[in-house]
Amino acid sequence: MSSIGTGYDLSVSTYSPDGRLFQVEYAAKAAENAGLAIGLKCADGIVLAVEKIVQSKLLVKGANRRIMSLDNHVGMVSSGLLADGRHLAKRAREEAQSYRDQYGAPMTMKALIERVAMYEHAYTCYGSVRPFGISTILAGVDKTGPSLYVVEPSGSYYGYRASAVGKGKQLAKTELEKLDLSSITVKQGVMEVARIAHLVHDDNKDGNFELEMTWIGPETKGFHEHVPSQLLQEAEEAAKRALEEAMEED
Amino acid sequence: MFRNNYDNDSITYSPTGRLFQVEYALEAIKQGSAAVGIASKTHVVLVALKRNAEELGSYQKKLIKIDDHMGIALAGLAPDARVLSNYLRKQAMNLKMVFNRPILTQRAVLQIADKAQENTQLYGSRPYGVGLLVAGYDETGAHLYEFQPSGLVLEYYGAAIGARSQAARTYLERTLEEVREVTDVESLIVHGLNALRDTLAQDVELTLRNTSVAVVGKDTSFKIYEDDEVTQWLEKLDLVSNARSRDDGADGDEETAEGDAPQPENPDADAGAAADADDTRMETDE
Amino acid sequence: MNHDPYVWGRPDDAVYGAYNHAIANASSHGNVQEETSFPKMNSQQPIITGTSVNSIKFKDGVIVAADNMGSYGSLLRFNNIERIFKVGKETVVGVSGDISDFQQIQRLLDELEITEEIYDNDGGHNLRAPNVHEYLTRVLYNRRSKMDPLWNAVVVAGFNDDKTPFLRYVDLLGVTYGLSAICTGFGAHLAIPLLRQLVPDDKDYQNVTEEQAREAIINCMKVLFYRDARSSDKFTLVTLKQGQPPKFEKDLRCENQNWRFAKDLVGYGSTQL
């Protein structure tokens, strides 16, 4: 990379001669190679999933949750530096609480993502801090219905019908594009997301993984909750079957 | 003086998105002597190897009680651990005052994780230089967590930190199934000590002077056992397996004996011996 | 004697000097000039008030009832106030006293429910009645120590960690106690004796059935409606039973009222003899 050794890539408050902020770009790199996270906006809710690479068999199975609740109706998952994800979640929770306090109603997703993105952006403005090393999916259901956003370390954000961040996001996005996103239900969404996670994951290269999944839908009465373990298990088994069938066809 | 341009502080990313200062902080953990934790379904045991800086000096404290239901083992910069344990105690007491119940181990450990993260994102502060094993028993059961200065926290059935801790992890992985079925605390402690013994340098033995044990669990308040109190378990250690597990457990580093090891430059470190450079050290070159 | 009713019950100017009307401005915080001449003043009384909350334990649960009245002094200002609400999965809180302070308490507990039950929750159940009660005790005691109390008496009902019924009181002074029958306000005088017939000793709740408890509470609501001029005959009754979500019954009425005695009442508001 031409940026290395020029001295223009050492601080977030320094532009390179061609107008780039390399520290922000490097922060995005931290997010790129971490475990895959998928978000899906369905007709009746949202689904979030994250691939957790099992680094050691001494890790407690099913513990070490990665998807966080920001409020009753909002879920968040990020890929990259995990501790940065918790920092951002802490701030987002404070925003959601203070909105509740001031307006007596749950925060809309539009207002929340705006605040979260503003906060992340502030960490790209000053030489005394570093940008967040995470790509984050925020999804929730508010009075306007389901919505899903992705925020990058730069503080820019976009709304999506479905998206993926982290390792293998391109392949995952290609698969998500094939879904009928206007009519899919959360129940179908859970099955599809599990399938895509298993498809994208390369056991030989990345080792074993655990799939963590949450949703908001009719089954959860608008609350952000973990997908019941039985349904998750069904989805994963179906995903593995589908993969095997696809292999045989090849 | 620096290895590269990107490792001067904890707020500069390398071109591949790494934070070298944070990774170096993880190395500080390995300068400390080993600590091992194991959880059964009802109990958690912490065992640790104490070092003394000099023959006439006292041994460095490795285990700290936080509350009746929670305690920690440390490896790395002991004063940093004291800052964190004070914070944990404060949180535990405050929660007890406000809610009239013991703090959940998970909540407590996430709080120090969030605190540690702050030091990795602000100029002028350094990340903590200590790793912790946090053991607790609460209404959700027995839990063992490993805390890292990066702000990462993970829950384990068995974990080891500090110098040559890879050898202990190897032991724990090998005996995992067996340990999970253990129902008595004594066997759990003996497993912990076996794992700890695998981290020792060649002519060092576990003695009642250098071994600390702590237990917490169902109907068992966190208690630290030292000196004469640990003899009962040291006697249970199988002498034959000692030699065997040492052979396949240690990773063949050239170790200096703990007694005549060079003194650490940093008087704050609870370390007394050289760290094993190869352990699980991260690659630091691009 | 001075026959002007205005001065009755007021400090005599001859004894205490003329009344200083500027004291009415004493609560203007931030105004340095006024603050130097007067002490800072916080609430001296509740404004819109809710009357008694009545509650009793039974064998495997608790019943809590409170009417829907919000009074402004002696004016029956609102008749649709729900003063019992749920916190977490199996706890209810009943509040009497100032209604705006009650609403503040409700906001605090809603926030608490999110921080304790939603954040980083691995499926554990964290917030139970003893925790809610302890939290409220801290809030109310801290406020009273700042000489700025939340003007309420609160009953927290739910279950202990060992699943036995939990019932405990805390008020604007931070005073707290637990009993098998707890009533706030007027109920503490009129309803407690009725409920004590069921639970003469604190442990006796174990012999009380849900039906008995319910009948006693409903009777209390009626007696209080007869005697408490700040009460209404429309009330909410909540039944907590082990292992079930709280059951809210709203818009209940005091049945079989008999006001024939009213013609014999003498004094205030009735024909003078």
Side-chain angles (χ1 to χ4, degrees):
Chain A
M1 216 181 285
S2 60
S3 55
I4 299 170
T6 60
Y8 290 115
D9 66 343
L10 294 176
S11 167
V12 78
S13 57
T14 309
Y15 285 104
S16 75
D18 52 352
R20 292 164 67 180
L21 287 171
F22 281 110
Q23 273 296 308
V24 178
E25 293 180 24
Y26 295 170
K29 281 264 177 4
E32 253 168 42
N33 290 318
L36 177 74
I38 302 174
L40 182 62
K41 185 171 82 171
C42 305
D44 55 351
I46 59 98
V47 177
L48 288 175
V50 64
E51 161 208 56
K52 294 187 290 190
I53 309 291
V54 181
Q55 308 276 8
S56 157
K57 71 172 190 174
L58 292 170
L59 282 166
V60 175
K61 291 185 185 67
N64 303 313
R65 300 280 198 197
R66 287 269 309 279
I67 309 180
M68 292 172 282
S69 290
L70 303 182
D71 201 333
N72 290 328
H73 64 298
V74 191
M76 164 181 154
V77 62
S78 44
S79 180
L81 307 178
L82 300 188
D84 284 19
R86 284 195 57 80
H87 176 183
L88 192 67
K90 189 177 169 207
R91 176 63 182 211
R93 286 166 173 173
E94 285 164 11
E95 293 286 356
Q97 283 283 14
S98 100
Y99 188 99
R100 249 177 210 280
D101 239 30
Q102 290 187 42
Y103 302 108
M107 196 169 195
T108 58
M109 285 300 292
K110 211 176 149 201
L112 179 61
I113 192 69
E114 177 74 33
R115 288 306 187 90
V116 169
M118 260 163 94
Y119 189 68
E120 274 206 67
H121 171 253
Y123 280 74
T124 69
C125 297
Y126 311 100
S128 57
V129 291
R130 65 168 170 81
F132 284 83
I134 46 172
S135 286
T136 305
I137 306 178
L138 263 100
V141 177
D142 58 25
K143 62 184 181 190
T144 65
S147 52
L148 185 146
Y149 295 89
V150 174
V151 206
E152 298 297 343
S154 62
S156 68
Y157 71 91
Y158 296 97
Y160 288 89
R161 298 167 93 164
S163 192
V165 295
K167 201 173 188 177
K169 65 179 175 187
Q170 278 315 331
L171 182 52
K173 281 181 179 175
T174 311
E175 285 298 314
L176 287 166
E177 282 165 15
K178 295 177 189 163
L179 302 177
D180 177 11
L181 292 168
S182 55
S183 68
I184 194 168
T185 64
V186 280
K187 262 207 156 139
Q188 294 164 321
V190 166
M191 306 302 277
E192 293 297 340
V193 168
R195 184 182 62 75
I196 294 169
H198 276 269
L199 177 75
V200 173
H201 183 83
D202 185 346
D203 266 348
N204 299 323
K205 225 164 69 189
D206 309 328
N208 287 335
F209 80 107
E210 236 180 58
L211 187 64
E212 180 183 334
M213 223 191 276
T214 62
W215 63 350
I216 307 176
E219 288 83 356
T220 71
K221 300 187 181 78
F223 281 78
H224 179 240
E225 287 174 6
H226 279 95
V227 170
S229 51
Q230 202 188 341
L231 179 60
L232 182 60
Q233 205 181 332
E234 268 173 46
E236 289 206 67
E237 276 161 17
K240 284 175 198 158
R241 270 201 308 278
L243 273 185
E244 277 164 25
E245 280 164 26
M247 295 265 251
E248 280 162 24
E249 279 170 34
D250 293 339
Chain B
M1 70 176 270
F2 295 112
R3 232 183 259 192
N4 59 56
N5 281 327
Y6 306 102
D7 68 350
N8 303 344
D9 55 52
S10 61
I11 62 158
T12 306
Y13 286 99
S14 80
T16 51
R18 292 166 56 182
L19 294 166
F20 287 120
Q21 270 301 312
V22 177
E23 291 178 12
Y24 298 170
L26 302 182
E27 295 298 316
I29 302 169
K30 294 175 196 153
Q31 301 285 338
S33 62
V36 176
I38 315 189
S40 74
K41 278 161 190 145
T42 53
H43 289 80
V44 193
V45 163
L46 296 174
V47 297
L49 179 70
K50 290 180 288 189
R51 284 171 176 164
N52 57 341
E54 48 191 294
E55 196 56 36
L56 297 176
S58 65
Y59 283 81
Q60 180 70 254
K61 203 171 145 100
K62 295 284 284 180
L63 304 175
I64 301 172
K65 177 174 170 169
I66 302 297
D67 198 348
D68 282 340
H69 70 297
M70 185 165 68
I72 60 170
L74 62 104
L77 302 181
D80 281 13
R82 227 164 38 239
V83 170
L84 290 168
S85 67
N86 279 345
Y87 185 75
L88 278 173
R89 285 174 172 175
K90 213 173 76 188
Q91 295 296 329
M93 288 305 106
N94 184 55
L95 195 116
K96 197 179 267 184
M97 189 183 87
V98 174
F99 292 114
N100 188 23
R101 65 159 188 229
I103 193 169
L104 286 182
T105 320
Q106 183 193 242
R107 292 278 170 94
V109 78
L110 284 176
Q111 280 174 359
I112 50 167
D114 294 350
K115 188 175 161 65
Q117 193 277 343
E118 289 172 22
N119 286 2
T120 71
Q121 207 170 7
L122 276 174
Y123 188 80
S125 61
R126 64 165 170 82
Y128 289 107
V130 70
L132 303 179
L133 297 176
V134 182
Y137 182 83
D138 54 45
E139 65 174 43
T140 63
H143 298 283
L144 171 69
Y145 295 90
E146 182 186 339
F147 157 89
Q148 290 189 349
S150 57
L152 185 69
V153 159
L154 291 170
E155 184 176 0
Y156 287 93
Y157 296 124
I161 53 174
R164 291 179 287 282
S165 53
Q166 182 54 44
R169 275 195 292 279
T170 307
Y171 175 91
L172 293 173
E173 279 177 26
R174 201 173 60 225
T175 56
L176 177 62
E177 277 78 29
E178 196 185 323
V179 168
R180 287 303 291 165
E181 296 311 315
V182 162
T183 50
D184 65 310
V185 181
E186 185 167 83
S187 326
L188 206 60
I189 295 172
V190 172
H191 273 299
L193 290 175
N194 272 325
L196 185 66
R197 191 169 54 177
D198 284 359
T199 72
L200 296 180
Q202 236 137 44
D203 53 352
V204 184
E205 274 301 325
L206 288 182
T207 67
L208 60 103
R209 300 253 295 163
N210 68 8
T211 310
S212 287
V213 174
V215 184
V216 66
K218 191 168 191 289
D219 305 322
T220 316
S221 287
F222 186 86
K223 185 170 189 313
I224 299 173
Y225 299 87
E226 287 185 286
D227 300 325
D228 292 340
E229 296 165 321
V230 300
T231 322
Q232 45 175 328
W233 300 302
L234 290 176
E235 283 167 355
K236 293 251 163 31
L237 290 186
D238 175 8
L239 291 170
V240 184
S241 80
N242 185 10
R244 183 188 57 78
S245 54
R246 183 85 61 81
D247 287 342
D248 62 12
D251 41 8
D253 288 337
E254 300 253 325
E255 301 290 356
T256 44
E258 214 126 351
D260 51 11
Q263 294 307 305
E265 282 175 39
N266 181 353
D268 284 347
D270 77 329
D276 47 339
D278 296 324
D279 200 327
T280 53
R281 193 184 183 105
M282 292 189 200
E283 295 251 307
T284 46
D285 293 312
E286 287 297 297
Chain C
M1 166 173 186
N2 189 338
H3 292 278
D4 178 3
Y6 179 83
V7 301
W8 294 352
R10 288 174 189 273
D12 189 350
D13 286 359
V15 178
Y16 298 99
Y19 181 73
N20 185 349
H21 289 276
I23 197 142
N25 302 317
S27 62
S28 56
H29 303 314
N31 186 325
V32 180
Q33 202 190 345
E34 282 171 21
E35 231 160 28
T36 47
S37 45
F38 289 104
K40 182 180 158 186
M41 245 164 73
N42 295 312
S43 344
Q44 302 296 302
Q45 75 221 13
I47 310 296
I48 307 281
T49 58
T51 185
S52 328
V53 173
N54 305 298
S55 58
I56 186 169
K57 283 188 200 171
F58 59 91
K59 196 166 64 214
D60 48 2
V62 192
I63 289 183
V64 188
D67 70 20
N68 304 125
M69 184 63 70
S71 315
Y72 179 59
S74 62
L75 174 69
L76 305 179
R77 179 70 181 78
F78 300 101
N79 61 5
N80 61 348
I81 311 264
E82 291 292 344
R83 294 189 286 125
I84 308 176
F85 63 99
K86 194 165 84 134
V87 181
K89 293 183 182 68
E90 49 169 42
T91 304
V92 298
V93 175
V95 185
S96 61
D98 191 275
I99 294 296
S100 56
D101 284 350
F102 148 68
Q103 288 168 343
Q104 170 69 6
I105 287 175
Q106 202 172 5
R107 277 194 291 273
L108 284 176
L109 291 177
D110 283 350
E111 186 178 321
L112 185 73
E113 186 173 339
I114 292 175
T115 54
E116 293 301 305
E117 303 256 301
I118 303 293
Y119 298 167
D120 305 321
N121 192 325
D122 250 8
H125 176 190
N126 299 312
L127 204 55
R128 274 189 285 269
N131 315 131
V132 172
H133 178 268
E134 193 72 24
Y135 174 82
L136 276 178
T137 304
R138 295 281 81 81
V139 170
L140 290 166
Y141 177 74
N142 277 323
R143 288 294 295 261
R144 88 101 216 207
S145 299
K146 287 184 201 152
M147 301 293 271
D148 187 14
L150 291 169
W151 216 288
N152 302 102
V154 182
V155 174
V156 179
F159 296 93
N160 289 304
D161 293 354
D162 63 3
K163 313 272 193 250
T164 54
F166 174 95
L167 186 60
R168 212 167 160 83
Y169 166 98
V170 58
D171 67 15
L172 71 166
L173 301 173
V175 171
T176 141
Y177 58 84
L179 275 178
S180 288
I182 294 179
C183 300
T184 68
F186 223 132
H189 306 280
L190 285 182
I192 280 289
L194 299 171
L195 295 176
R196 290 261 172 91
Q197 289 174 351
L198 272 184
V199 283
D201 223 355
D202 205 45
K203 61 181 188 307
D204 291 335
Y205 76 90
Q206 287 157 333
N207 308 320
V208 178
T209 65
E210 181 188 347
E211 290 70 31
Q212 286 174 310
R214 186 187 170 88
E215 193 189 319
I217 287 283
I218 287 177
N219 184 42
C220 287
M221 295 310 287
K222 187 156 100 179
V223 168
L224 282 165
F225 179 57
Y226 280 140
R227 293 291 177 181
D228 177 1
R230 306 288 172 265
S231 68
S232 77
D233 61 346
K234 185 162 79 79
F235 62 94
T236 299
L237 185 144
V238 183
T239 312
L240 293 159
K241 272 178 97 171
Q242 224 177 73
Q244 293 173 16
K247 186 174 84 181
F248 279 76
E249 295 169 80
K250 294 183 178 171
D251 295 331
L252 296 182
R253 290 276 175 178
C254 298
E255 307 287 347
N256 304 321
Q257 290 175 36
N258 179 348
W259 287 92
R260 268 179 300 174
F261 66 89
K263 67 176 169 39
D264 301 324
L265 286 180
V266 170
Y268 205 69
S270 67
T271 320
Q272 301 291 306
L273 281 183

